[in-house]
Amino acid sequence: MPELPEVETVARGLSKKILGKTIREVTLHRADIRFPIPKILPAKVRGQKIIAIDRLSKYILLRLADGGRVLIHLGMSGRMFFETEKTYARGKHDHVVFSFPKGLLVIFNDARRFGVIDYIAAKTKAHKLLDAVGMDPFSKDLTPQVLFDKIRTRKTDMKAILMNQKIIAGLGNIYVSEALFRAKMRPTRSGTKVTLKECKKLLSAIRAVLTEAIKAGGSSLRDYVQTDGELGYFQSKFRVYDREGKPCPACKTKIERITQSGRSTYFCSTCQK
Ligand SMILES: [Zn+2]
């Protein structure tokens, strides 16, 4: 599943090629993916210039000159890539095609169809998906104290707390394991047993791991492809994730794997308390 670094990579890839360009046409090859795609979308965005491309948690927002926005979520298997009109042959899961001048196409492909494409009109302030999103890990408003206040009363484990998109948005299984390792915090620890000082370390660890992954172009576990068609390579830098039985890079203890809420968690029982 594309995680925050992959989505940031896609947003940056899109910015390089289509920021400032005018959408010529949008072709919908399906009426729905996870949710129905608004039928009015092509008419609303046709002829609109893209004035900004933002990432909010794992959503990408194409901001249009008239104040409208196109909301994109890659879901489990969504990919976006560039094609040229002349040579493009539509793939089976190419659900939405954005056309730009000079034959440039941006394809939204999603085999499992958990992705989202929506249109938000200029006057619309609330959006059910965006309103449910927690704080972005890079938000200036997310301070160690704010994080501490969000965590301290929760009796669930730290893995579940960090995976909860309503608390911090955009962290998935991989980066939670990696961030907890760097913060030397056991994924099974209760939120009530975390100190403010540890929250400071944890927040730095979360940002460090995401920043490194963004620099590396996002990770690639399955068929995820960047907007420029290159595979990411952050997975070669995982310190604990998917490294069961291998030595901890800090102390050589064998990395353990446990299951939490049905998903694998990796940690070092020596380094993480
Ligand atoms: Zn260790």
Side-chain angles (χ1 to χ4, degrees):
M1 180 191 318
E3 293 204 29
L4 189 147
E6 287 80 21
V7 179
E8 176 69 25
T9 303
V10 171
R12 289 182 186 187
L14 290 172
S15 291
K16 269 190 212 160
K17 285 232 183 182
I18 60 168
L19 182 60
K21 296 212 168 125
T22 299
I23 300 174
R24 235 181 45 186
E25 188 57 83
V26 177
T27 310
L28 310 179
H29 291 296
R30 278 190 70 88
D32 60 12
I33 18 182
R34 183 169 163 200
F35 304 114
I37 304 170
K39 281 199 191 80
I40 51 153
L41 188 146
K44 290 286 185 187
V45 307
R46 191 179 296 131
Q48 286 294 322
K49 188 173 171 178
I50 299 176
I51 57 162
I53 298 176
D54 295 330
R55 178 193 57 75
L56 183 68
S57 174
K58 293 206 280 186
Y59 291 95
I60 294 169
L61 281 164
L62 308 181
R63 297 187 188 274
L64 309 176
D66 71 348
R69 288 153 287 171
V70 177
L71 178 76
I72 302 167
H73 193 284
L74 301 173
M76 302 288 287
S77 58
R79 301 186 300 137
M80 294 187 81
F81 52 90
F82 301 112
E83 288 278 357
T84 45
E85 218 160 47
K86 270 189 186 162
T87 53
Y88 173 59
R90 195 185 143 214
K92 190 178 171 196
H93 305 294
D94 294 356
H95 304 314
V96 180
V97 178
F98 297 84
S99 310
F100 293 89
K102 295 182 184 165
L104 174 68
L105 303 178
V106 175
I107 316 294
F108 179 88
N109 170 293
D110 186 2
R112 297 179 66 186
R113 299 205 305 267
F114 282 103
V116 176
I117 297 222
D118 201 1
Y119 174 75
I120 310 172
K123 60 183 187 303
T124 313
K125 289 221 165 59
H127 188 279
K128 64 180 190 301
L129 295 173
L130 294 180
D131 294 346
V133 163
M135 293 180 91
D136 192 275
F138 291 105
S139 166
K140 284 184 182 73
D141 298 330
L142 183 60
T143 61
Q145 183 67 50
V146 168
L147 183 61
F148 179 55
D149 291 339
K150 286 175 184 288
I151 290 175
R152 64 198 296 187
T153 55
R154 293 177 193 262
K155 293 191 181 94
T156 47
D157 59 66
M158 283 308 296
K159 166 91 183 278
I161 290 171
L162 295 183
M163 293 283 286
N164 183 340
Q165 301 301 302
K166 288 176 187 159
I167 303 173
I168 300 181
L171 289 179
N173 211 27
I174 296 171
Y175 300 107
V176 167
S177 276
E178 292 294 307
L180 285 170
F181 173 75
R182 292 185 193 210
K184 296 183 161 55
M185 195 180 286
R186 192 74 72 96
T188 49
R189 192 165 357 145
S190 159
T192 57
K193 299 271 163 50
V194 173
T195 66
L196 174 59
K197 205 177 153 194
E198 285 178 315
C199 283
K200 198 176 167 197
K201 235 170 130 180
L202 178 60
L203 192 56
S204 304
I206 289 169
R207 287 174 176 164
V209 85
L210 292 174
T211 302
E212 280 176 31
I214 291 165
K215 275 193 191 145
S219 71
S220 169
L221 288 184
R222 273 191 292 269
D223 59 349
Y224 168 74
V225 179
Q226 285 181 33
T227 39
D228 60 2
E230 279 178 29
L231 288 167
Y233 51 90
F234 183 74
Q235 73 270 34
S236 60
K237 294 182 182 169
F238 291 158
R239 296 187 190 173
V240 287
Y241 186 82
D242 206 19
R243 296 194 67 241
E244 184 183 12
K246 296 194 174 130
C248 163
C251 74
K252 309 290 180 224
T253 302
K254 281 185 177 172
I255 301 296
E256 289 182 35
R257 183 181 72 86
I258 54 168
T259 303
Q260 288 176 290
S261 310
R263 304 198 54 193
S264 291
T265 302
Y266 301 86
F267 68 98
C268 170
S269 59
T270 305
C271 293
Q272 292 172 259
K273 299 294 177 195

